[in-house]
Amino acid sequence: MVPDDSGAPLAQNVELYESILNEIRLPLTQVLNDALSAHQAGGRVPLLRLEAWLDNSSTENRQNEAGRVTLATIELASTPARDGSTDIMEEDTSRDCDCSEEETRALDSVSNDDFCQPDARPVKRRKMVGCLRLARSAPITRAVSPEKEPSCRRLTSDARHFPKRNPPKNLRKPEISPFERLIIGIWEQIHGHFEMKPSDLVDLCTQINQLRAAVSNGALQQGVLPSFIPGKGAFQGMNHYCRQITQASRCSRSLEVIVQARWIQCYDEHVQKMAAEDPDLSLTKARMIALAEASKDFGWSSKELRNKMAIWRGYEIIRDAGGWPCLVFAGMGLYRFCKYKLGFSPTNMTALKRLRTRFEVAADTIHPEWRQLLSVIGEPTTRVYKGHPCDWVVSRNGPPVPLADTYSQWTSDFSFEHLQECVIDEQAWGPMDPRAENNHNTHQTLPRRLLCERCGSPQSNDPGINECHCFPGMFGSGPRKPYPVQVFRTENGRNNGLLACCPFERGVAVGEFVGLVTRGLRDIDVMQSFGPAGIYQIWQGRQGNYTRFINHSCQPNSQYERFMWLGVQRIVLVSKGISAGEEITVDYSNEYWNHLNKDCLCGESGCRFKRRSNGA
């Protein structure tokens, strides 16, 4: 294969390319047909040899073998495998030395090492199934030489390896028990878009009273929105008003459950007090007396009150084990759980006790005003945990500790800024974003209609216009909600890790890898990728989000993927199928571990980096 007379590369000469393709296609088709016929007839299958070489000889002297550099040779033969199928045999020949020293060095840059990643496992022999398959992946362009590479994490961008959302048909989803469904519902309510603001309940009551007064006095005409409902039109104003009502009714429901659980406490205390004051009065008789008194005050029959009490007592049992957040953020699933007694086993209640402080950390940091609801029953309303949800590290048996305390053994002035979006290092990149496609022209603006590379739909930050739903919880759906994850203290010396509070189905986003977009860092843990402006790095040492705390595993349950949103490259962590309560892990890759002199502590049976420091 040689360049044309004009010196244009072969890939750019379409006419020559088509000519060579036609010269190869017909003979190759005939040879394969003959081989297939011989195989079916039981005869001897001829050997098919495919060779690729570079020829730097002139056009007039193509017969001269000098200057020819053989790159590789692939032989296809009918060799029986263990199962009787046909395998593909590969044979890489050594390069001829009929080229200059400069050409040899140039060819070394496209050596066989470039046809596979440094962390690739030995190539497995594949069965012949009626088509030719590439034995190795496509060439990978190295950004820097291996001795200069930092300890970068793996970035998977091959669409074939993307976790599909639809699982195989023969794969059954694990059944979730009613107790697990209750716990997941609590986490979802805490991390959802619902805003727990008790002050809104008081303000709404005042506004409703004003509305009633205006209607009764004739000051408000029919079909006219109240003055306290903002909005450009009737629909927008009604949206705001309905949202206020919904938020207030949710607070009212939480307030109702809190009071009913406390009533059970008062009822039990009253029964114990009557039995203590009258030794001849049994507990059963005392309960009957207290029940009669309460039925009279409520205006209900004894049977109706007993049915209510059975549900309310379930509230109190859950409150005693998991704390007040379990009642405030449980949602409507709490009523069904307590009515039908679906999971009040000692094992479940023990598990709920272990989650108590974790619920409080999430509730205090995401909904700072939620404890104001406890004022109606005389409970303290002071927040215990302040700051960002990831400023606290939870554990299985101990109390939550500040994030900075977990790094005190390495530094005394640890600080971490939690980000929603990446920050560009202006010292490294100036005013431009190396991830953006329009950096080559500073005067160019993003087009109004950008299509997603994955689904082909228009992208927009406006939910009313956006049609791309690849990662709806992260892009194109309005403000991001807090993801149901928590930083936790590992028990095997890996310091901190990331815990999934709710399940993440296969193919959904766990979060975006956010940090300082820079370049040129060495001997430090970074995410390295190649964007329109070249190689860039994302460092999470002092700025970032919860993806900073994800540990390595040789059998991970998530992976990093490259995703273009509005012309800017994003690194998204995608789930491979993560269960609630499971640690979120990724594969840091061989490139990361090759630059570190420490052991891998993932604990997997197939760990690839165990006892590295001992030479194993």
Side-chain angles (χ1 to χ4, degrees), residues 19-204:
S19 176
I20 295 177
L21 182 61
N22 293 331
E23 291 294 333
I24 295 177
R25 182 185 298 167
L26 296 178
L28 181 59
T29 304
Q30 184 63 35
V31 171
L32 292 178
N33 290 334
D34 295 340
L36 181 61
S37 301
H39 178 70
Q40 295 176 348
R44 184 176 180 272
V45 180
L47 178 68
L48 175 61
R49 177 186 295 268
L50 301 180
E51 294 185 349
W53 67 86
L54 293 178
D55 192 349
N56 60 353
S57 59
S58 63
T59 306
E60 295 79 10
N61 193 21
R62 289 184 180 178
Q63 301 299 328
N64 186 12
E65 294 295 331
R68 172 174 296 187
V69 181
T70 303
L71 296 181
T73 299
I74 302 177
E75 294 182 356
L76 304 179
S78 178
T79 58
R82 294 182 179 179
D83 56 355
S85 61
T86 304
D87 287 353
I88 297 179
M89 299 178 58
E90 300 181 23
E91 178 185 356
D92 293 337
T93 62
S94 60
R95 298 190 183 92
D96 298 338
C97 300
D98 300 330
C99 57
S100 63
E101 183 178 358
E102 290 78 12
E103 292 170 340
T104 303
R105 286 197 299 266
L107 289 172
D108 286 339
S109 63
V110 291
S111 61
N112 287 339
D113 294 337
D114 287 335
F115 284 82
C116 58
Q117 296 182 0
D119 58 345
R121 298 179 179 177
V123 180
K124 297 182 178 180
R125 305 178 71 181
R126 303 193 178 192
K127 295 181 179 180
M128 186 76 171
V129 291
C131 63
L132 298 179
R133 296 186 178 184
L134 294 178
R136 294 187 175 96
S137 60
I140 294 178
T141 303
R142 294 186 180 276
V144 291
S145 59
E147 62 272 15
K148 295 182 180 180
E149 286 185 354
S151 54
C152 303
R153 300 190 183 185
R154 167 180 290 167
L155 176 61
T156 304
S157 59
D158 192 348
R160 296 174 300 176
H161 298 156
F162 185 83
K164 299 298 186 295
R165 293 196 180 187
N166 296 327
K169 296 182 179 180
N170 57 353
L171 181 63
R172 297 182 58 184
K173 292 185 177 180
E175 297 183 0
I176 301 178
S177 66
F179 176 75
E180 293 173 336
R181 192 176 294 109
L182 174 67
I183 299 302
I184 293 175
I186 296 174
W187 286 122
E188 289 178 344
Q189 289 287 336
I190 293 178
H191 293 86
H193 288 294
F194 166 69
E195 298 179 7
M196 178 62 69
K197 293 183 177 180
S199 57
D200 292 346
L201 181 61
V202 178
D203 296 340
L204 186 61

Side-chain angles (χ1 to χ4, degrees), residues 487-503:
V487 183
F488 80 105
R489 189 72 170 180
T490 61
E491 300 177 352
N492 59 349
R494 294 177 298 151
N495 202 32
N496 298 328
L498 194 67
L499 205 62
C501 302
C502 296

Side-chain angles (χ1 to χ4, degrees), residues 396-438:
R396 180 180 177 87
N397 299 319
V401 297
L403 179 64
D405 293 352
T406 61
Y407 294 92
S408 59
Q409 55 182 324
W410 296 290
T411 177
S412 59
D413 58 345
F414 176 82
S415 62
F416 189 75
E417 180 184 359
H418 301 279
L419 303 176
Q420 286 284 348
E421 299 285 344
C422 283
V423 175
I424 307 300
D425 184 3
E426 296 185 356
Q427 295 182 355
W429 294 103
M432 74 172 184
D433 188 343
R435 307 169 301 162
E437 289 183 334
N438 64 332

Side-chain angles (χ1 to χ4, degrees), residues 424 429-446 517 531-534 536 567-569:
I424 307 300
W429 294 103
M432 74 172 184
D433 188 343
R435 307 169 301 162
E437 289 183 334
N438 64 332
N439 282 324
H440 63 280
N441 187 353
T442 57
H443 300 287
Q444 180 182 356
T445 59
L446 291 177
V517 180
Y536 67 88
V568 179
Q569 192 177 103

Side-chain angles (χ1 to χ4, degrees), residues 381-530:
T381 59
T382 305
R383 247 196 327 168
V384 179
Y385 306 100
K386 300 179 181 180
H388 193 273
C390 293
D391 282 336
W392 297 92
V393 181
V394 300
S395 61
R396 180 180 177 87
N397 299 319
V401 297
L403 179 64
D405 293 352
T406 61
Y407 294 92
S408 59
Q409 55 182 324
W410 296 290
T411 177
S412 59
D413 58 345
F414 176 82
S415 62
F416 189 75
E417 180 184 359
H418 301 279
L419 303 176
Q420 286 284 348
E421 299 285 344
C422 283
V423 175
I424 307 300
D425 184 3
E426 296 185 356
Q427 295 182 355
W429 294 103
M432 74 172 184
D433 188 343
R435 307 169 301 162
E437 289 183 334
N438 64 332
N439 282 324
H440 63 280
N441 187 353
T442 57
H443 300 287
Q444 180 182 356
T445 59
L446 291 177
R448 295 182 178 180
R449 186 179 179 86
L450 286 174
L451 301 181
C452 176
E453 294 181 352
R454 292 186 59 216
C455 65
S457 303
Q459 295 180 339
S460 174
N461 286 326
D462 185 355
I465 303 176
N466 177 63
E467 298 181 12
C468 173
H469 302 290
C470 295
F471 301 111
M474 187 172 301
F475 305 107
S477 58
R480 298 184 186 181
K481 64 180 181 179
Y483 270 67
V485 295
Q486 280 187 321
V487 183
F488 80 105
R489 189 72 170 180
T490 61
E491 300 177 352
N492 59 349
R494 294 177 298 151
N495 202 32
N496 298 328
L498 194 67
L499 205 62
C501 302
C502 296
F504 290 89
E505 294 184 2
R506 184 177 179 88
V508 304
V510 180
E512 180 184 356
F513 194 89
V514 171
L516 180 68
V517 180
T518 183
R519 61 180 170 182
L521 297 182
R522 295 184 58 187
D523 301 328
I524 207 168
D525 183 11
V526 296
M527 169 68 74
Q528 182 164 289
S529 183
F530 188 85

Side-chain angles (χ1 to χ4, degrees), residues 91 240 313 360 396 592:
E91 178 185 356
H240 179 81
R313 189 165 294 280
E360 292 182 356
R396 180 180 177 87
Y592 172 87

